[in-house]
Amino acid sequence: MKKFFLLSLLLAAFVGKLAAQDEVQVLPEIKVKALDGKTVSTADFANDGKPIIISFWATWCKPCILELNTIHEEYAEWVEESGVKVIAISIDDARNAPKVAPFVEGRGWEYEVYIDENSDLKRAMNVNNVPHTFLLNANKEIVWQHNSYSPGDEEELRELVKQLAETGKIDAKE
């Protein structure tokens, strides 16, 4: 009887773990600041049912800047082929937040850029370090995420975005 109880307990734990892996994670509703200082809810992030890339970055993070600069070089092509929108979330704290707008303007980034000064969105999305990139589908469900950046990573992301735009899903999940 003890063995049966123990086996049932293990089976329940295993099934629970499998169910947890299939849970869909959606973009949490958190307030962030736009570059003009207005407060914006992430619930208002939209892209007409097309893919959205959420990129967490900071002005002091060289790999973040390299990733966003690299995507920016081909961003117009990405938008044309998939309709994707990049939303860059700066995690710079209150001391560095005033540097974000001039930083973005100086690089000519055409992304929507917001500041997560209190790290509320960062915590809600379990971002431990930057760069951390998320790919969202039409329902704002996280279908892929990647931490760190190496040259060439943007090509994998571009392929996933195209696949998501064409089929509504992707094959890879990180």
Side-chain angles (χ1 to χ4, degrees), residues 75-103:
Y75 188 52
E77 294 170 31
W78 288 37
V79 171
E80 188 177 316
E81 66 191 21
S82 65
V84 69
K85 176 190 279 187
V86 172
I87 298 176
I89 306 290
S90 167
I91 63 161
D92 285 275
D93 59 17
R95 188 183 58 191
N96 286 329
K99 299 176 185 173
V100 174
F103 190 91

Side-chain angles (χ1 to χ4, degrees), residues 26-66:
V26 296
L27 180 66
E29 187 175 335
I30 303 285
K31 304 271 189 220
V32 291
K33 271 191 179 173
L35 293 182
D36 62 6
K38 293 180 184 169
T39 301
V40 176
S41 172
T42 56
D44 296 330
F45 289 179
N47 192 23
D48 295 328
K50 296 174 185 154
I52 297 174
I53 295 170
I54 305 280
S55 179
F56 282 84
W57 70 286
T59 55
W60 45 262
C61 171
K62 291 189 187 305
C64 303
I65 297 162
L66 182 60

Side-chain angles (χ1 to χ4, degrees), residues 93-165:
D93 59 17
R95 188 183 58 191
N96 286 329
K99 299 176 185 173
V100 174
F103 190 91
V104 169
E105 287 176 26
R107 280 156 180 77
W109 291 348
E110 298 170 13
Y111 315 128
E112 286 184 25
V113 179
Y114 300 96
I115 304 170
D116 185 27
E117 281 182 354
N118 299 324
S119 299
D120 294 336
L121 183 58
K122 179 183 160 195
R123 275 192 299 279
M125 295 186 75
N126 202 23
V127 172
N128 294 317
N129 51 36
V130 288
H132 197 128
T133 306
F134 295 87
L135 178 58
L136 280 55
N137 66 13
N139 300 318
K140 298 182 189 176
E141 297 168 344
I142 297 168
V143 295
W144 179 87
Q145 62 179 296
H146 182 77
N147 187 297
S148 78
Y149 173 76
S150 297
D153 286 350
E154 72 281 356
E155 290 306 318
E156 178 188 4
L157 177 58
R158 186 176 185 170
E159 289 304 315
L160 293 171
V161 167
K162 284 190 330 193
Q163 190 179 89
L164 183 61

